[in-house]
Amino acid sequence: MEPDIGKILKMKKKEQSDAMLALFQGLLDKDVDQISTAMKGLIEDVDKIASDKEYISLCETNLNLVKGLPEATAEKIISARLKAQSELPENIKSRDSKNLAEALKAVDKDGKIAKIINKINS
């Protein structure tokens, strides 16, 4: 079943987090390419209907979830997310990069996610 991203964007933080965690858990047994394809569709949906504030807030929710995962799992999710972003049309990629960077600044105070991104990119 496709997630109702419009509904998820309007949820309170806790409900949004629960909904996104359920979505992530449904993806974890898949490979990076399959996860990436699902994430690409999700990003495109968010791009169509979310304000920048909603977009950043959803990214913050997702980053907080990723921070709570075991490192190997977090690495798999981040790899898929970066792959999805790289396959987006330029206009969507640019907005996604900007909003994700804003969310990272707010959430990744300890540098855990940045460390994983650097590991993936090296």
Side-chain angles (χ1 to χ4, degrees):
M1 187 180 97
E2 275 292 301
D4 184 343
I5 199 62
K7 229 183 234 172
I8 292 171
L9 286 167
K10 305 287 184 224
M11 290 176 176
K12 290 181 169 62
K13 273 291 184 193
K14 172 75 174 107
E15 288 80 22
Q16 188 179 69
S17 182
D18 291 346
M20 293 309 296
L21 182 59
L23 199 91
F24 281 174
Q25 287 172 333
L27 294 173
L28 289 178
D29 63 336
K30 300 187 180 339
D31 66 30
V32 169
D33 288 338
Q34 291 170 310
I35 297 169
S36 175
T37 299
M39 286 186 168
K40 183 178 172 199
L42 185 69
I43 295 166
E44 289 169 333
D45 289 348
V46 171
D47 181 69
K48 282 182 205 150
I49 61 175
S51 67
D52 281 345
K53 184 178 178 190
E54 290 170 327
Y55 200 132
I56 292 166
S57 178
L58 183 63
C59 286
E60 288 174 357
T61 296
N62 292 338
L63 290 168
N64 278 317
L65 287 171
V66 169
K67 283 181 72 162
L69 297 171
E71 189 162 336
T73 306
E75 200 171 304
K76 182 178 181 180
I77 293 288
I78 293 169
S79 290
R81 179 66 172 78
L82 293 172
K83 183 177 184 333
Q85 186 184 66
S86 74
E87 296 171 355
L88 291 168
E90 200 54 48
N91 60 325
I92 299 174
K93 185 190 306 185
S94 174
R95 182 178 183 212
D96 184 62
S97 293
K98 181 176 76 70
N99 288 335
L100 189 55
E102 282 297 313
L104 265 170
K105 272 194 282 186
V107 171
D108 197 32
K109 305 259 189 258
D110 62 0
K112 179 180 178 182
I113 294 173
K115 187 177 132 210
I116 293 170
I117 291 170
N118 288 336
K119 181 178 173 186
I120 291 166
N121 287 335
S122 61

